Amino acid sequence: MISNLSIIFPIFNEEKRLPNTFKEIIKFKKNFKKRKLEVIFVDDGSNDKSHQLINNFTNQENSKNLKLKKIILNKNMGKGKALKKGVKESTMSWILTTDVDLSVPLNQVLKWDKKQLIKNNSIVFGSRNLNKSVVIKKRYRFLLGKILNLLTKYILNIRLNDSQCGYKLYKKKPAKEIFSRMTNDGFAHDLEIVLISKKQKLFIQELPVKWTHKDGSKLSFFKDVPKMIIDIIFIRIRNL
C-alpha cells in the first residue's frame, strides 16, 4: 500500500493550467485520506505568472498532511533537469512524476494501488499502449509516438510499449539513484531513465492509464523532435 507520496510537477509557463491542477490536488488529497502527501512544483524558469500562482497556492494550502514545496530555477533548463531537482528534494516513500496538464488523472495511482497491481521493487511506467488503457489523442501525437517507439527500439534496444508517458511511479531509493545518474535535461530523459534502470537491474512494470490529450503542450514537433533524435544518438553512445 502507498502510505505516503511525493508528487513532482515540472512547470514552464503554465499559468493557464495551474488553477485546474491546484483543484485536482485538493481533490486527490481528500481521496488520499489521512496518508501524508507532498507536492513539489519545480518552476523551470517560467516568465509568466506561474511563480506567483504557485506562491499563492503553497501559502494557502500547506498543512500537516499536505506538504507543498516550490523549487525555482532561474532559467529554463528542461523537463529532465526539473524532475531531477524535484526528486532530489522529495522526502516520501513513494514518488510520482507527472505533468501539470494532468493528461493522466492523479487518482490513477490510487486505482493501481487499490487493485494491488504494483509489484514489489518495481518502477511503474504509465503506458498508453496497453490493451486496457483508455486513450484520447490527436493523430499527430499518435504518429509522433510511433516514430519515437521505433527509434528507441532499434537504436537503444528499448522494448517498452510506451517510455514517454509522463506518469511514472518510483520507490524513493531507486528514484534517488536513477535521477542522480541522469544527464539528459530534455524530453529524452525518459529514455535515459530506462537505460539507467536496466544497468541497475531494476524492473520496469508498465500499467494501463486513462490518458486524454490536452492542448498547450510545450513539445514542439519541429524544434524538439530533431533534438530528441540527436539526444537518442548521444544516449546510445554514452551507454555503449
Side-chain angles (χ1 to χ4, degrees), residues 146-163:
K146 287 291 185 183
I147 292 168
L148 290 175
N149 277 343
L150 287 171
L151 287 171
T152 57
K153 180 178 179 180
Y154 291 107
I155 297 178
L156 299 178
N157 195 29
I158 291 176
R159 306 284 169 167
L160 295 175
N161 291 291
D162 183 5
S163 61

Side-chain angles (χ1 to χ4, degrees), residues 30-197:
K30 292 177 181 178
N31 292 330
F32 208 54
K33 308 223 181 263
K34 296 181 180 180
R35 293 174 281 181
K36 290 184 179 179
L37 179 65
E38 175 181 68
V39 179
I40 302 175
F41 301 100
V42 186
D43 187 342
D44 188 19
S46 296
N47 51 34
D48 63 355
K49 295 180 181 179
S50 293
H51 177 52
Q52 179 183 337
L53 292 172
I54 293 168
N55 260 340
N56 293 341
F57 181 69
T58 53
N59 290 337
Q60 292 171 9
E61 300 296 339
N62 246 319
S63 65
K64 181 179 179 180
N65 290 325
L66 177 55
K67 188 177 182 181
L68 299 171
K69 292 182 179 180
K70 56 182 183 290
I71 300 172
I72 309 299
L73 304 183
N74 292 328
K75 62 179 181 178
N76 183 238
M77 303 292 287
K79 185 178 179 180
K81 188 73 169 183
L83 289 175
K84 186 172 183 175
K85 291 283 188 181
V87 169
K88 184 178 180 180
E89 295 298 320
S90 63
T91 62
M92 299 299 174
S93 300
W94 290 86
I95 298 171
L96 175 69
T97 62
T98 189
D99 297 322
V100 74
D101 65 357
L102 299 177
S103 296
V104 179
L106 286 177
N107 66 3
Q108 181 70 71
V109 69
L110 297 181
K111 293 179 180 179
W112 290 344
D113 195 32
K114 184 177 180 180
K115 294 179 180 179
Q116 298 183 333
L117 297 176
I118 302 167
K119 295 181 180 178
N120 289 333
N121 301 317
S122 68
I123 297 167
V124 182
F125 279 27
S127 177
R128 295 160 291 189
N129 296 328
L130 298 178
N131 290 335
K132 291 185 178 180
S133 294
V134 178
V135 177
I136 303 171
K137 60 183 175 182
K138 295 190 175 181
R139 182 170 292 275
Y140 83 92
R141 291 299 294 264
F142 175 79
L143 293 173
L144 178 58
K146 287 291 185 183
I147 292 168
L148 290 175
N149 277 343
L150 287 171
L151 287 171
T152 57
K153 180 178 179 180
Y154 291 107
I155 297 178
L156 299 178
N157 195 29
I158 291 176
R159 306 284 169 167
L160 295 175
N161 291 291
D162 183 5
S163 61
Q164 297 303 116
C165 180
Y167 200 89
K168 294 179 172 67
L169 179 69
Y170 309 80
K171 291 293 289 290
K172 180 180 179 179
K173 184 177 179 179
K176 299 275 188 180
E177 180 69 20
I178 290 167
F179 281 87
S180 69
R181 294 173 178 267
M182 197 174 73
T183 60
N184 187 276
D185 294 338
F187 286 105
H189 74 276
D190 297 281
L191 306 175
E192 193 173 19
I193 287 172
V194 176
L195 295 180
I196 293 170
S197 299

Side-chain angles (χ1 to χ4, degrees), residues 10-47:
I11 293 164
F12 178 62
N13 290 345
E14 295 288 3
E15 64 179 8
K16 292 182 180 179
R17 296 198 281 202
L18 276 169
N20 180 64
T21 306
F22 298 152
K23 291 178 184 177
E24 294 303 316
I25 289 169
I26 298 301
K27 288 181 185 177
F28 180 80
K29 178 55 199 162
K30 292 177 181 178
N31 292 330
F32 208 54
K33 308 223 181 263
K34 296 181 180 180
R35 293 174 281 181
K36 290 184 179 179
L37 179 65
E38 175 181 68
V39 179
I40 302 175
F41 301 100
V42 186
D43 187 342
D44 188 19
S46 296
N47 51 34

